[in-house]
Amino acid sequence: MASQKKPNLVFIVPDEFRAQAMGFRREDPVITPNMDALAGESLAFHRAYSNSPVCSPYRGILFTGKYPYENGVITNCNSASPDCYLREDALCLSDILSRNGYRCGYIGKWHLEHPREKDYPYLPPRRADGKIWDAYTPRERRHGFDFWHSYGCCDNHFEPHYWESDEDVKDCIHVKQWAPEHETDVAVEYIQNADASKPFALFLAHNPPHMPFEMVPDKYLELYKDKSPEELLNRPNVRENHTAAESVQQYFAAISGLDEQLGRVLKAIDEKGIRDDTIVVYTSDHGEMMGSHGLMHKNVYHDEAFQVPLLIRYPGKILPRETDMLISTIDLMPTLLTVMGLKEAIPGDIRGKNAGEEILQNRDGNIPFAIYHHTYRSRGFTDSKYTFVVHHEKDDMALPMEAVLFDNEADPFQMDDLAPRNPELVREFCGRLLEMLTECADPFAETVRKFRG
């Protein structure tokens, strides 16, 4: 097939998938043959970060190229945060692609909409925390996506539900199938039916390996049945955590299940004959601590949560290699638009750095840092050597601020906090963080200024 003027984009983004759980990295003992093969054909990043490692804020950053305090998605969208949602007037990556001739499709978890009271009767009931987490997104708020097979937020992986392109909130589709498998069925059909005369951008957003971890098919659990928690939780910074010990087989099993679905998508691209015309991106919204530092889940500045997978395959245009270049969520919009030949369409008011031209020249981009953002509680950054964060002690807003500092070269598992022994170094890093936050008009800059003194 002749090469298209504009490449297709297949952007796959599972939830809570940590960077260390890709087999080719030889860190977690996971089984991911399709991911490993894709990495061998891709630009594979070892230092990709989620600026705000939690579900909704990540998505807000990805699509707008702006930080949460600017795009309005400062925390997870649910009934307890009615002002937290993706604004209808936001200019999103998908809007830009649609305006430039792309057919845009979204499959899976959206989590950028707040639930409206009029929709409550048609949404899953409140969780134990008293909140409604799911939400229906009407057509006018889908930001250029003309194909829609999606939901807001729901963690029943075995019986997921979806709204489709032309449906009302009352017309939800209920499915009895493991969600990633069903969503891959829909994605494969979308690719098979794609009109070759017009490029497409397909976003495939799986919820697993997000909890509840036990909702994973037995056939993937079989892969790990003979492995003990001690064998699977092999990072030296793991501390006793009963949830991690009980969950790690399930977590890795879900990742192996996702690997199988990835293989199906790649096969569909090949069978359609569009391999050379299609950019494939594989990443995640954030990681999972899984017992490291005795912690679980996300929204943590440690690499197990802060760092994410990132593979970019573009045959004939981007040479396969592994790289330590720094990149983060905020940088993906300008970088991808440049790689797709749409540099002129990049909005002038976004915050991300553009590494697209260097990537196309098979060079490392020169992005100096990735900012860490945690709602109102903390800010920090990672650079080529250090991770530095200023936060409220124990994440309690009533307690005083403190700093943490890790030398990631000398201490790759972040087990030695340098901050208590190096007050002058902390002051220096506070100054660097203050410059970063001031440059991007982050109101947290004043908090850092006061802390620095």
Side-chain angles (χ1 to χ4, degrees):
M1 181 179 291
S3 179
Q4 302 180 60
K5 184 176 181 181
K6 297 174 183 174
N8 304 308
L9 173 66
V10 175
F11 192 103
I12 306 174
V13 53
D15 196 310
E16 207 153 319
F17 189 143
R18 71 185 193 179
Q20 296 79 14
M22 297 187 288
F24 78 94
R25 288 181 59 144
R26 295 178 178 84
E27 295 188 58
D28 289 339
V30 289
I31 301 169
T32 56
N34 292 298
M35 197 170 306
D36 300 345
L38 178 62
E41 301 169 344
S42 303
L43 179 58
F45 291 80
H46 284 267
R47 302 207 66 211
Y49 293 89
S50 173
N51 301 109
S52 187
V54 67
C55 306
S56 299
Y58 165 88
R59 288 164 170 78
I61 296 169
L62 171 69
F63 282 110
T64 67
K66 297 180 180 180
Y67 290 108
Y69 55 86
E70 292 181 304
N71 63 38
V73 188
I74 60 172
T75 186
N76 272 334
C77 301
N78 57 50
S79 60
S81 53
D83 294 327
C84 177
Y85 58 91
L86 182 61
R87 303 303 193 259
E88 190 171 340
D89 61 356
L91 178 59
C92 293
L93 172 61
S94 48
D95 291 314
I96 295 168
L97 294 175
S98 178
R99 295 174 188 181
N100 281 273
Y102 277 80
R103 289 172 293 111
C104 296
Y106 199 92
I107 301 169
K109 180 176 181 176
W110 178 242
H111 209 183
L112 282 170
E113 191 64 71
H114 68 102
R116 295 170 175 80
E117 286 192 28
K118 68 181 181 63
D119 294 339
Y120 284 3
Y122 310 102
L123 301 176
R126 295 178 186 272
R127 289 185 185 174
D129 61 10
K131 303 172 187 176
I132 293 178
W133 282 78
D134 199 9
Y136 167 75
T137 304
R139 176 179 285 276
E140 65 271 16
R141 297 176 59 80
R142 295 177 186 171
H143 288 279
F145 287 108
D146 53 273
F147 179 86
W148 190 261
H149 189 86
S150 181
Y151 60 93
C153 173
C154 184
D155 293 333
N156 190 341
H157 305 329
F158 283 147
E159 295 187 15
H161 64 268
Y162 305 87
W163 287 277
E164 290 197 326
S165 299
D166 298 316
E167 292 187 332
D168 184 80
V169 64
K170 303 181 184 67
D171 302 317
C172 190
I173 296 171
H174 294 268
V175 178
K176 291 189 176 182
Q177 187 181 10
W178 192 48
E181 183 179 59
H182 168 74
E183 291 154 10
T184 303
D185 288 347
V186 177
V188 166
E189 184 177 4
Y190 183 96
I191 293 167
Q192 290 171 338
N193 295 332
D195 181 354
S197 68
K198 191 174 183 180
F200 68 84
L202 178 64
F203 289 75
L204 177 56
H206 301 305
N207 199 17
H210 187 285
M211 57 200 153
F213 300 122
E214 66 270 16
M215 289 189 179
V216 60
D218 289 342
K219 65 177 180 177
Y220 303 122
L221 284 168
E222 282 289 309
L223 298 172
Y224 299 93
K225 67 177 182 179
D226 297 325
K227 298 291 185 181
S228 68
E230 291 74 23
E231 290 176 283
L232 298 175
L233 296 170
N234 63 358
R235 297 178 71 75
N237 60 13
V238 169
R239 300 292 176 263
E240 183 176 353
N241 186 295
H242 293 300
T243 304
E246 293 172 355
S247 304
V248 65
Q249 284 185 333
Q250 300 161 344
Y251 180 70
F252 288 170
I255 287 171
S256 291
L258 291 172
D259 183 78
E260 183 172 314
Q261 309 316 312
L262 169 63
R264 295 176 58 210
V265 172
L266 297 176
K267 181 180 179 183
I269 291 170
D270 286 349
E271 290 180 346
K272 184 70 174 179
I274 57 173
R275 177 189 179 95
D276 290 346
D277 298 315
T278 302
I279 299 169
V280 176
V281 178
Y282 200 93
T283 188
S284 180
D285 56 352
H286 52 76
E288 161 59 53
M289 294 302 295
M290 197 53 66
S292 287
H293 305 282
L295 302 173
M296 289 294 295
H297 308 320
K298 57 220 175 188
N299 221 353
V300 179
Y301 47 77
H302 288 296
D303 274 356
E304 290 84 359
F306 189 19
Q307 206 178 91
V308 292
L310 181 59
L311 308 175
I312 303 177
R313 186 182 80 175
Y314 192 3
K317 299 293 176 61
I318 299 176
L319 293 179
R321 63 188 178 93
E322 296 183 28
T323 178
D324 287 326
M325 71 168 281
L326 204 65
I327 196 167
S328 61
T329 315
I330 199 81
D331 309 312
L332 291 181
M333 176 197 276
T335 297
L336 284 176
L337 287 174
T338 299
V339 170
M340 297 171 77
L342 295 171
K343 182 179 178 181
E344 298 304 315
I346 297 172
D349 62 345
I350 64 170
R351 298 295 184 182
K353 309 295 184 183
N354 185 359
E357 292 181 348
E358 288 89 349
I359 287 174
L360 286 172
Q361 295 166 8
N362 299 297
R363 298 187 291 113
D364 284 352
N366 187 29
I367 298 174
F369 58 82
I371 288 179
Y372 171 80
H373 180 285
H374 183 311
T375 57
Y376 306 108
R377 296 178 178 177
S378 63
R379 293 293 188 276
F381 68 90
T382 191
D383 62 15
S384 61
K385 182 175 173 63
Y386 294 99
T387 294
F388 175 74
V389 177
V390 173
H391 68 113
H392 284 279
E393 185 180 356
K394 298 180 181 178
D395 281 338
D396 185 337
M397 297 287 284
L399 293 176
M401 299 289 290
E402 62 179 16
V404 293
L405 175 63
F406 299 104
D407 181 337
N408 296 319
E409 289 183 355
D411 177 28
F413 295 97
Q414 300 176 321
M415 299 171 72
D416 181 19
D417 179 8
L418 302 176
R421 307 190 304 274
N422 295 274
E424 288 305 313
L425 201 55
V426 167
R427 181 174 174 79
E428 175 189 333
F429 275 80
C430 274
R432 291 179 59 189
L433 178 59
L434 184 58
E435 288 180 8
M436 296 172 193
L437 299 182
T438 301
E439 180 184 356
C440 61
D442 188 334
F444 201 87
E446 183 59 27
T447 301
V448 175
R449 183 177 289 108
K450 290 179 180 178
F451 175 75
R452 184 181 183 225

